[in-house]
Structure formats: C-alpha cells, structure tokens
Amino acid sequence: MKSISELAAARVLRSRCSVSVLRKYLKDKDFSSEEIEPVIESFIEYGYLDDLQYCRDFIAHGERKGWGELRIKRELRKRELSTDDISVSFDEKAENAEAEDINSEADRALAVALKVIRQSGMDIENRLPEKLRNRIIRRLSTYGYSSSIVFSTLSKLDELARDEILIDYEV
C-alpha cells in the first residue's frame, strides 16, 4: 500500500490542484486530518501546492480559451479555490493589464464574436443579422462575459459592419 505522501504526490503530478482538493482527495482515501495536514504543509513549503499561483495560471489559461471573467471565476470556484485567492489574482491581473496595456476582456470578447461571424459564412451588410447577433450573445454569455461586455461588443460589431470593415478587422 502506498503512503500518504506517495498518494498525494501522485495526485499533484497527475494534474495541478488546490489545497482543498488535495485535502478532500486524501480524506476520501481514509486518512485522518492528523496525517493529512503535515503532508499538505510540506507540499506548500516545497512549492508543490500554491493556490494563488494556481489562480494566476488558470486565469491565463481561461483567457487563452477566450473565456470572460465570470466564467473563469466560476471555474476557479469549482476547483475549490478561496474567494480571497481569486480576488487577489484578478486584482494583480488588472494592475498588470493597466501597466502593460495588454489584451483586455473587451478585446477577447470581440475576437470570439469575430470567430463566430467567420464560422457562420453569412453576408453582413450594414448590420448583423438577428440570428447571428443571437448566436454571438449566446457564445459570449457561455464564455462568461458580462452583459455590458456583450452589448458593447455588439455595438462595436455594428459599427464595423456599417463602416464595411468587419470582414477585414483583426483583433
């Protein structure tokens, strides 16, 4: 039978996880809290578990997938990360984005919407067809963008369509 340290290491190596997920995993393996806590503490000390870094990395992952802030936060809560770590990570991201002026949430939403338009193959003259607008709204909502981002993206798309530069526009 494997020791608690071996099981914990195997779990962390299989896929990154939060402290609470590892704790729950070890409890499900019938280890007591007295056995679990020293292992958790040593993993934190050696850097194998770092909830704050996990949040930072997951935010970047979600952004690469085109997700909005709401979806990323929902996914982080599913992974049992603390609201404090989530908030700190998003605050750090906001500070870095202001300093570096990098890919904003509105730009990511526009990129997702443009992808939907390209995939649709619809002709767009002066205004997006209602069917396509609804598809974009559903996609952006599914990806976790707030309603203000969704509607500002639709306004931007309408503006680009009126100016007849929608097809050539790249984010």
Side-chain angles (χ1 to χ4, degrees):
M1 189 167 127
K2 291 185 176 180
S3 73
I4 186 171
S5 295
E6 291 172 328
L7 282 172
R11 172 62 183 93
V12 170
L13 288 173
R14 190 169 48 250
S15 67
R16 286 183 67 187
C17 63
S18 67
V19 171
S20 61
V21 167
L22 182 60
R23 186 176 286 122
K24 183 179 183 300
Y25 172 79
L26 294 173
K27 281 185 182 180
D28 289 346
K29 297 288 183 184
D30 295 324
F31 290 104
S32 69
S33 293
E34 293 78 28
E35 295 172 299
I36 293 171
E37 290 312 312
V39 172
I40 298 274
E41 292 303 319
S42 69
F43 275 42
I44 291 170
E45 183 180 321
Y46 289 118
Y48 302 146
L49 291 174
D50 185 348
D51 284 358
L52 192 56
Q53 187 60 46
Y54 183 89
C55 286
R56 291 179 191 124
D57 294 344
F58 194 86
I59 290 169
H61 167 74
E63 288 176 346
R64 282 191 304 275
K65 291 186 103 172
W67 293 348
E69 187 174 321
L70 298 174
R71 169 89 182 260
I72 295 169
K73 285 181 178 179
R74 184 173 57 241
E75 294 292 330
L76 286 169
R77 283 191 300 272
K78 272 190 205 175
R79 287 160 175 76
E80 300 180 30
L81 289 140
S82 75
T83 54
D84 290 341
D85 286 340
I86 294 170
S87 295
V88 167
S89 298
F90 272 99
D91 290 346
E92 287 175 357
K93 183 193 150 314
E95 289 171 11
N96 291 339
E98 288 173 7
E100 299 173 12
D101 195 32
I102 58 173
N103 199 11
S104 72
E105 189 170 23
D107 291 339
R108 290 192 318 275
L110 184 59
V112 169
L114 290 170
K115 184 176 179 182
V116 170
I117 291 169
R118 280 192 301 275
Q119 290 172 340
S120 75
M122 291 184 179
D123 286 332
I124 297 157
E125 296 176 12
N126 296 331
R127 185 164 161 78
L128 295 173
E130 197 63 31
K131 182 178 180 179
L132 186 55
R133 289 176 70 78
N134 291 337
R135 189 178 300 162
I136 290 168
I137 290 170
R138 284 191 306 273
R139 178 73 55 87
L140 292 176
S141 296
T142 300
Y143 274 39
Y145 290 98
S146 67
S147 57
S148 62
I149 295 285
V150 171
F151 291 111
S152 69
T153 300
L154 290 173
S155 296
K156 178 74 172 171
L157 291 172
D158 285 339
E159 180 184 315
L160 292 172
R162 275 192 307 276
D163 295 342
E164 297 179 5
I165 58 171
L166 183 60
I167 304 303
D168 300 327
Y169 191 82
E170 291 293 325
V171 176

